[in-house]
Amino acid sequence: MKSSKLLAGVAFIGLVATPGLAMAQDEAASAAQPTAGVGEIIVTAQKRSESLNKVGLTIQALSSDDLVKQGVNSVSDLAKVIPALTVANSIYNTPVYTLRGVGFYENSLAAYPAVSVYVDEVPMPFPALVGTAALDVERVEVLKGPQGTLFGQNATGGAINYIAAKPTADFKAGVNASIDSFGEVDASGFVSGPISDTLRVRVAAKTAQGGAWQKSQTRPDDDKLGDKELYMGRVLLDWTPTDRLSVSLNVNGMIDKSDPQAGQYIALFPQVGPVGAGLAATPFAPSKPRTADWNPNRRPKGDDRQWQAALRADYELSDSLKLTSITSYVDFSRKQVNDPDGVAVESLEFLFDGSLKSFSQELRIASNGSGPFSWIIGGNYEHTTSKEFADQYAGQSSVVANLGFPANTNTFFLNSQIDNYAVFANADYEILPGLTVKGGVRYTKSQRDAQTCTRDAGNGGAAAFFTAVSTQVRQAIDPTAAPTPAIPVGGCVTLDEATFLPTLYEGSLDQDNVSWRGGIDYQALPELLLYANVSKGYKAGSFLFTNASSTAQFAPVTQESVLAFEGGFKASMLDRRMQFNLAGFYYKYTDKQIRGKRIDPVFGVLDALVNVPKSSLMGVEAEIMAEPVDGLNLRLGGTYVDTRIDEYTGVGFNGGVQDFEGNPIPFAPKLSVNGSADYEFALSEGVSAFLGGTVTHNSSTYSVIDTVPTAKLKDYTLVDLRAGLSFSDDAYRLTVFANNVTNEYYYTNAPILYDTQVRYTGRPASYGVALAARF
């Protein structure tokens, strides 16, 4: 009987994933909570299950119910509920995550983040791969501060660990559906249960359709942008053939044809003389969140496709030892029409084509966590290949208008091959009752090879232009130099920075490092944990994906490191009616990676990746959770962080060389606050009402290292409200919601492109209704 229900449910999920049907949403079975008080939360931050209040780290954990109530449907949405987490859109639609001011802004698919994302400890090594992470989850854990020993390099800012909802011993199913005032329909569902005594399965699917919210500045009545067309699904199989062996298979996939967001044109910075007449005549966008613009002849459109298979096996070697193997392979591709310049004329547009293929393997042995001594040792291997290609169109740019550079005649590409090897160990030892010392170390060797250049598009225009430039430069240095041989049609036109001859750039980064951490936890009282940690983490180097006239622009950034000090406490008070957590931290950076500028003798100020020799940040973070009366849940969290460039001289956005000492780190608001309140109360037998709200505040920050006024991201406060009814012990739920109810105009990024600068605005006020059912 259970098997027949399960098969029927699987068939139903197949219908949910079909385009045009709109039912379902994420659900998860969270751990049982007490009827009163702040419930205990179990986390796996140290790759074993522990109470959150017993882990001496700054961790914020949200259950599936928390995420659904507050409208968190993606990794990017976490910025609404996690203080000090910011998410910025990039011109190629790749999200950039920054935590406590630690992040890395780069457009390339193969640029490692500073904040890593995992699903059940399976790495999603690049930001473009995280689309399916938030599907059908039990909870999410956000670990703040360097996590290099257990989660590897590229976690200098922290780690976001999603815990997927697992297959259940009994048949369960659920659907959610919502529609908002922009016409966006979100739907998802799951079905879960046993196939046999040793095999369980859970199938989940999600779709999002419609919702265009941006309006063209020049065609406001008949052209909108922002429609979603998203399909994703996941199959989880849990197999326990023996008492000592358990195997879990996660197969998931995604097709995302949603519109990329258009930029809002706010400033003009001509690089090499006046821009084209069409661009010069274009007015700046008004301060309205919906207004932007794009070329109607090259309308922005996305097409991301991804599939992944992850296999985990746990085998108990003995009553005290467990062997774990985690294997993953992910295949991602992106085709995109991108128009980031914010104008209807052809200023800077791209046709983008890219792919990522990444394999990873972790093998580790760990103690069972009982007794005073817990330990874990293991190793990792990752192999990634990426290919990125872009056609660039810049007919109204200053280089076309003034230098005779032929429009629409160049392309650029970046191919990368990456291999990472690591071994690690971590241990905790309770030297006295309540007093635990802890430590960990990881050795990582990283090899990255890259091939890149700007190429003639196939019509000979760029080839002829750069052949002439190469000859002029070489003969200016040596009048006897022979003319540069004609660059072949379709050939590389990037000039070698030493010889000024056209070349294919080939670069390599071969670096290693030792991450480590040490700390002490003191359980001063059963309800009070004191802790102090010191750690050092690293982030791997990277190559720039860009259109470049000189190989100097392709110079990579080398690995960065951060030395972090942190201390705090976690206190449960008032008979568990309140939880209060407080932490202070100080980070010292060496060779921080940023997206900066360099001066090109032909094209002016261009993007470049640079290392900032010295920078630092310090701050304090607090979180309060309380249930003062039954049914009323309150949460308030805040982070204050002060960031500073301590040593760096480089090129400003206007081409001048300047000393940046004292400037803040980009995407690091000094004050981030999030608060939520939810109250549920009975109306009658089996019927309850609920209402709640979420407030998010970020103070101002900058999108670049240069403190130019147009790059300042102003402070903002967002208010979301919700209310509804639940029936039959929450088996059915009806919710009405309103997001950004004050219609706050805000923006999360203000990138300076070539001749133009744009803003990426947040969504304006919207409202809607959601339905949920559990079976």
Side-chain angles (χ1 to χ4, degrees):
M1 182 65 178
K2 289 181 179 179
S3 296
S4 63
K5 284 185 177 181
L6 186 60
L7 292 174
V10 171
F12 167 74
I13 288 297
L15 293 177
V16 171
T18 302
L21 295 182
M23 296 199 67
Q25 172 30 39
D26 304 348
E27 191 276 353
S30 56
Q33 302 292 316
T35 57
V38 178
E40 183 179 45
I41 300 174
I42 303 300
V43 297
T44 54
Q46 300 187 103
K47 298 195 174 183
R48 63 175 185 266
S49 296
E50 301 171 282
S51 169
L52 177 62
N53 288 345
K54 304 297 183 183
V55 180
L57 295 170
T58 301
I59 307 170
Q60 287 180 281
L62 296 169
S63 69
S64 171
D65 190 47
D66 294 329
L67 299 174
V68 171
K69 284 180 180 177
Q70 300 188 60
V72 179
N73 298 312
S74 67
V75 179
S76 296
D77 285 342
L78 283 174
K80 297 196 302 182
V81 296
I82 301 296
L85 175 65
T86 66
V87 181
N89 197 20
S90 69
I91 66 171
Y92 297 129
N93 208 39
T94 301
V96 178
Y97 305 110
T98 303
L99 192 55
R100 286 180 175 173
V102 181
F104 179 52
Y105 183 86
E106 165 53 1
N107 301 318
S108 170
L109 287 180
Y112 284 115
V115 180
S116 297
V117 178
Y118 292 78
V119 178
D120 289 340
E121 300 179 20
V122 176
M124 316 296 278
F126 304 98
L129 303 179
V130 305
T132 60
L135 172 64
D136 192 34
V137 299
E138 177 183 323
R139 68 180 183 277
V140 60
E141 305 166 5
V142 179
L143 288 63
K144 298 185 177 182
Q147 305 296 323
T149 55
L150 285 176
F151 289 91
Q153 66 172 0
N154 312 318
T156 49
I160 300 172
N161 192 19
Y162 278 91
I163 312 301
K166 300 300 186 291
T168 51
D170 299 312
F171 173 80
K172 291 186 178 181
V175 294
N176 277 28
S178 68
I179 184 170
D180 72 9
S181 52
F182 290 114
E184 180 182 328
V185 175
D186 288 273
S188 67
F190 77 95
V191 61
S192 176
I195 293 178
S196 69
D197 291 341
T198 60
L199 184 63
R200 301 175 183 177
V201 64
R202 187 178 184 106
V203 181
K206 178 177 180 178
T207 185
Q209 304 290 325
W213 63 278
Q214 290 192 291
K215 297 194 299 184
S216 166
Q217 184 174 354
T218 55
R219 307 171 304 281
D221 297 327
D222 57 8
D223 202 356
K224 295 182 180 180
L225 192 71
D227 272 330
K228 288 186 178 180
E229 186 182 350
L230 171 67
Y231 315 95
M232 65 174 67
R234 176 191 290 150
V235 178
L236 274 176
L237 290 170
D238 281 356
W239 182 45
T240 53
T242 71
D243 291 340
R244 289 191 178 274
L245 176 63
S246 62
V247 181
S248 177
L249 175 65
N250 179 337
V251 180
N252 59 79
M254 175 189 73
I255 297 175
D256 188 357
K257 295 185 177 182
S258 304
D259 296 339
Q261 184 174 350
Q264 191 177 74
Y265 175 47
I266 62 168
L268 180 65
F269 303 110
Q271 292 297 309
V272 290
V275 297
L279 178 57
T282 301
F284 298 139
S287 297
K288 297 179 180 180
R290 298 188 64 181
T291 302
D293 222 340
W294 52 93
N295 187 340
N297 300 318
R298 200 170 288 118
R299 193 177 189 278
K301 184 64 178 176
D303 187 358
D304 289 0
R305 296 169 185 261
Q306 176 178 318
W307 72 271
Q308 181 187 37
L311 182 68
R312 173 172 178 153
D314 292 285
Y315 182 67
E316 294 184 7
L317 300 170
S318 67
D319 292 341
S320 59
L321 291 179
K322 179 187 288 187
L323 174 67
T324 299
S325 170
I326 301 175
T327 309
S328 172
Y329 178 79
V330 60
D331 188 311
F332 173 88
S333 66
R334 168 173 290 174
K335 295 182 183 295
Q336 190 176 95
V337 181
N338 194 280
D339 187 0
D341 56 30
V343 296
V345 299
E346 186 185 277
S347 172
L348 187 65
E349 301 166 11
F350 303 97
L351 298 182
F352 178 85
D353 193 340
S355 66
L356 277 170
K357 302 180 191 301
S358 185
F359 169 82
S360 66
Q361 173 66 53
E362 177 172 312
L363 192 65
R364 66 179 191 247
I365 299 176
S367 65
N368 64 6
S370 63
F373 184 52
S374 299
W375 57 268
I376 181 172
I377 59 173
N380 301 89
Y381 171 68
E382 177 205 334
H383 174 73
T384 296
T385 60
S386 72
K387 296 181 179 180
E388 300 174 77
F389 174 87
D391 285 313
Q392 178 172 298
Y393 300 84
Q396 290 289 309
S397 67
S398 60
V399 295
V400 173
N402 298 278
L403 300 182
F405 187 80
N408 310 341
T409 58
N410 68 98
T411 67
F412 54 99
F413 75 94
L414 172 64
N415 295 336
S416 300
Q417 304 83 40
I418 306 168
D419 288 283
N420 292 315
Y421 308 83
V423 291
F424 63 90
N426 196 80
D428 299 346
Y429 181 50
E430 188 175 17
I431 56 176
L432 294 171
L435 183 64
T436 301
V437 293
K438 52 193 180 181
V441 63
R442 175 187 290 256
Y443 171 77
T444 302
K445 180 176 177 59
S446 182
Q447 173 73 45
R448 179 189 283 251
D449 299 308
Q451 305 84 41
T452 182
C453 79
T454 298
R455 298 191 306 196
D456 177 85
N459 53 21
F465 179 87
F466 278 96
T467 298
V469 169
S470 174
T471 298
Q472 292 170 7
V473 174
R474 292 174 60 248
Q475 291 183 346
I477 297 172
D478 179 6
T480 65
T484 299
I487 299 173
V489 173
C492 286
V493 300
T494 302
L495 304 182
D496 185 275
E497 62 180 308
T499 66
F500 303 102
L501 291 171
T503 186
L504 168 70
Y505 177 87
E506 296 184 281
S508 180
L509 283 171
D510 187 357
Q511 296 188 293
D512 60 357
N513 60 70
V514 177
S515 300
W516 52 266
R517 75 161 183 146
I520 187 167
D521 293 348
Y522 178 47
Q523 196 73 50
L525 298 169
E527 303 83 11
L528 176 63
L529 174 70
L530 308 176
Y531 65 91
N533 300 311
V534 57
S535 60
K536 189 166 189 178
Y538 289 84
K539 180 188 172 302
S542 188
F543 289 88
L544 183 67
F545 175 55
T546 191
N547 187 2
S549 65
S550 168
T551 57
Q553 198 176 351
F554 292 139
V557 283
T558 57
Q559 66 183 4
E560 68 180 23
S561 66
V562 59
L563 180 63
F565 303 86
E566 181 166 342
F569 67 80
K570 299 180 178 183
S572 179
M573 299 177 287
L574 304 178
D575 196 23
R576 296 183 62 187
R577 288 283 185 176
M578 177 181 289
Q579 177 71 36
F580 180 36
N581 305 326
L582 182 69
F585 52 90
Y586 173 75
Y587 298 172
K588 194 71 174 177
Y589 256 115
T590 301
D591 292 331
K592 177 173 175 56
Q593 303 167 358
I594 66 164
R595 192 178 180 95
K597 298 290 183 180
R598 68 173 299 274
I599 301 173
D600 183 272
V602 178
F603 296 109
V605 183
L606 301 177
D607 284 344
L609 295 179
V610 298
N611 289 104
V612 174
K614 295 180 181 180
S615 56
S616 58
L617 62 88
M618 64 177 65
V620 63
E621 190 161 73
E623 181 183 29
I624 299 174
M625 295 174 286
E627 187 177 3
V629 297
D630 291 353
L632 176 61
N633 289 284
L634 307 175
R635 181 190 291 261
L636 178 64
T639 304
Y640 177 84
V641 58
D642 187 23
T643 68
R644 188 179 190 277
I645 302 297
D646 296 320
E647 179 186 324
Y648 176 60
T649 299
V651 178
F653 86 103
N654 60 359
V657 176
Q658 62 188 85
D659 185 353
F660 290 93
E661 182 179 346
N663 283 16
I665 295 174
F667 301 109
K670 282 194 172 184
L671 181 64
S672 301
V673 179
N674 168 263
S676 65
D678 287 280
Y679 182 47
E680 186 160 353
F681 53 95
L683 292 178
S684 63
E685 182 70 27
V687 180
S688 297
F690 58 88
L691 52 90
T694 300
V695 178
T696 303
H697 173 79
N698 278 327
S699 63
S700 62
T701 184
Y702 287 89
S703 61
V704 296
I705 195 173
D706 205 342
T707 55
V708 295
T710 55
K712 188 174 185 178
L713 309 179
K714 72 183 188 71
D715 63 293
Y716 63 88
T717 302
L718 304 179
V719 180
D720 296 346
L721 299 176
R722 51 194 172 268
L725 299 171
S726 68
F727 306 90
S728 304
D729 294 327
D730 217 25
Y732 305 96
R733 199 170 183 92
L734 170 67
T735 304
V736 293
F737 59 86
N739 296 327
N740 190 8
V741 295
T742 62
N743 202 33
E744 179 89 341
Y745 173 65
Y746 70 105
Y747 34 93
T748 59
N749 195 8
I752 298 171
L753 307 179
Y754 185 62
D755 293 314
T756 63
Q757 184 179 10
V758 299
R759 286 175 180 158
Y760 287 108
T761 60
R763 286 169 61 101
S766 64
Y767 54 89
V769 61
L771 299 171
R774 301 292 178 262
F775 311 102

